[in-house]
Each structure stands twice: as C-alpha cells, then as structure tokens.
Amino acid sequence: MPNYIFIESRDPFDSPDTSFLADTATSLKRRGNDVTVFLVQNAVLATRKQARKSQLPRLIESGIAVLADDFSLRERGIQSDECQANVKTATIDQLVDLLLRENTRAIWH
Amino acid sequence: MAEKKLTIAIMDPPYEKASTTTALRIVSAALKKGIHVNVFAYEGAVNLAMKDQAPHANPVKGTTVEQEEHPTTKEFVRSLLEIGKGSPQLTWINCGLCVDERGAVNVVDGVKRGSPADFFKMATESTNTLVIPTR
C-alpha cells in the first residue's frame, strides 16, 4: 500500500475546503494506508488548542500523524505548549524524508 | 533507482505567497541532504529567477538599501543553483512559453528553458514529485 503525505498550507478560518483534505486523509487511513499530514504556513494556526473549526482532532482520532512545521510556528509566535496534544513539531528536513520514502504520494493543498 | 531525486513544480510569482518560501526551503533542505532536485517553474514562477530584480530601500522606515537587506528571489535561486552545481545537482527549468508571455528572458545563470515535456521526464525519473499549485 502506498504512503500518503498531505501538505496542508491553508488555515481552516480562511479556507473551508481544509475539510476536504481531512475527508480524503481519513478515508485513506480507514483503508489501511499510512497517512501523514504536514502543516505549513497558515495551516499551523489550526494547531492551537482554542482554534475552532480545526480539522486536526478528527485527523488525530483516526490515527493520522500530524506534523507542524517549526519555522511556520515560529513565524506566527505559536509555542509548543499552545498546540493540541499529539501534534508534533517537525522540520522541513523531516518533510523531505517523508517525500522520499518509497511508494509515497504527495498532495499539496 | 540508485540515487534519490525530488522534482518540484512551482507556479506562483515572486513576492506573492508563502508557498514560494516553502518550496525554496524544501529545495535547500533536499540539496543539503545530498538529494538531487529538479525544479520546473511554470506560469508566474518563471519570474523567480529574473536578473532584473533589485533590492530597495524602505522609505517608510527610512532605511537604506544596505540596512534593509531586502531579499530577492533571484538571489535565492542563484544560491541554490550554486549549492546544486555538482553533486547533488539542482536542475531548474523555466517553462519557455511562460517565459515568452512574461518577457522573463533575463534570468540568473544556470536556469534552463524547457517545456511541460521536461517536467514529465523529470517526474518519471524521480523518487517523488511535488506539485505546488496556485490557489
């Protein structure tokens, strides 16, 4: 089965279509695929515990690994203790590693 | 496939979206890991490498060109091509039709002219391909 890496760049307040990514990612996960969502740019705004409309709880409950770009978090002044549990801070190096795994499909949103 | 290679397609023009910064960060990180990288610049992204870009002062803050240290995308592209001139290798191709439409002919050294056929070839020869579309 292929690995899927979704790179989410949009935040749920500006872009209601972030729910489509969550729908697709959770569906693929239910079918037994390895799915990772990497949050970058304004998508990291959804990591905050108090963020409404965030799709992240749904992703995390389904067992999807959710990573948040450290650079994007720093740019926006979001500290790790402000983030929802189970959202892991990651570097762009880790994203490159994920992209280069064998049999991996990358989807940017 | 012996050596790993990443192909990235970008479409956004310079100074518009954070996606450009992210794309350049991915290219930089991959090169530093020794990964070969192909970039296919399509649509407005062909302007990223335009030589005519110039840093400017900031009259609002009253800073000079030197104080402002205004970054230009052509310098980012130039420095990435410098890192990727050997092994690992960075191949940067601007879409020729997009270049002609925009008059974006005068680009930094190392940027090549090509077509979507080149993108297809690069994608088929790569470990993975990431397309970063415009919104």
Side-chain angles (χ1 to χ4, degrees), chain B residues 6-12 27 37-43 45-46 48 90-98 112-123 129-132:
Chain B
L6 181 63
T7 291
I8 301 176
I10 49 176
M11 303 180 192
D12 286 308
V27 173
V37 180
N38 298 316
V39 173
F40 185 74
Y42 197 63
E43 299 180 349
V46 299
L48 291 168
L90 170 61
T91 303
W92 188 294
I93 295 181
N94 274 352
C95 163
L97 295 180
C98 310
K112 297 173 183 169
R113 180 189 173 95
S115 76
D118 293 292
F119 173 57
F120 178 74
K121 185 170 185 293
M122 293 190 299
T129 298
L130 176 63
V131 176
I132 303 179

Side-chain angles (χ1 to χ4, degrees), chain A residues 2-3 6 8 12 15 26-27 29 34-35 42 53 60 64 70 73 75 84 88 94-95 99:
Chain A
N3 306 304
F6 288 88
E8 177 60 277
S15 304
T26 52
S27 295
K29 183 67 180 175
D34 185 293
V35 183
N42 277 346
K53 297 185 180 178
I60 292 163
I64 291 170
D70 60 346
L73 287 167
E75 277 188 318
Q84 298 178 39
K88 292 177 183 163
Q94 287 172 265
L95 175 58
L99 287 169

Side-chain angles (χ1 to χ4, degrees), chain A residues 10-65:
Chain A
R10 303 180 188 184
D11 75 76
F13 318 106
D14 178 53
S15 304
D17 59 0
T18 55
S19 63
F20 300 150
L21 183 145
D23 291 343
T24 309
T26 52
S27 295
L28 286 166
K29 183 67 180 175
R30 274 200 300 274
R31 286 165 173 74
N33 297 285
D34 185 293
V35 183
T36 302
V37 174
F38 190 96
L39 307 170
V40 70
Q41 299 165 202
N42 277 346
V44 302
L45 294 172
T47 63
R48 294 168 300 163
K49 288 171 188 164
Q50 295 179 336
R52 294 182 183 180
K53 297 185 180 178
S54 173
Q55 302 294 328
L56 302 190
R58 184 152 70 104
L59 293 171
I60 292 163
E61 283 165 19
S62 68
I64 291 170

Side-chain angles (χ1 to χ4, degrees), chain B:
Chain B
M1 196 177 294
E3 292 185 296
K4 291 195 172 181
K5 190 180 288 184
L6 181 63
T7 291
I8 301 176
I10 49 176
M11 303 180 192
D12 286 308
Y15 314 114
E16 293 288 338
K17 287 181 65 183
S19 298
T20 302
T21 305
T22 305
L24 296 174
R25 288 176 61 216
I26 293 170
V27 173
S28 173
L31 289 172
K32 285 173 183 168
K33 283 174 170 286
I35 309 296
H36 301 301
V37 180
N38 298 316
V39 173
F40 185 74
Y42 197 63
E43 299 180 349
V46 299
N47 290 112
L48 291 168
M50 274 190 76
K51 243 182 194 172
D52 304 311
Q53 294 177 34
H56 58 71
N58 188 329
V60 176
K61 293 194 290 183
T63 50
T64 64
V65 173
E66 291 74 24
Q67 289 167 330
E68 189 65 15
E69 290 188 290
H70 183 264
T72 58
T73 56
K74 73 165 180 184
E75 276 304 313
F76 288 129
V77 175
R78 190 199 56 73
S79 61
L80 290 172
L81 283 165
E82 181 67 25
I83 296 168
K85 68 182 179 185
S87 186
Q89 186 176 48
L90 170 61
T91 303
W92 188 294
I93 295 181
N94 274 352
C95 163
L97 295 180
C98 310
V99 165
D100 294 342
E101 284 174 336
R102 292 160 179 81
V105 178
N106 190 26
V107 291
V108 297
D109 294 344
V111 171
K112 297 173 183 169
R113 180 189 173 95
S115 76
D118 293 292
F119 173 57
F120 178 74
K121 185 170 185 293
M122 293 190 299
T124 54
E125 293 173 353
S126 292
T127 313
N128 207 347
T129 298
L130 176 63
V131 176
I132 303 179
T134 53
R135 188 165 188 175

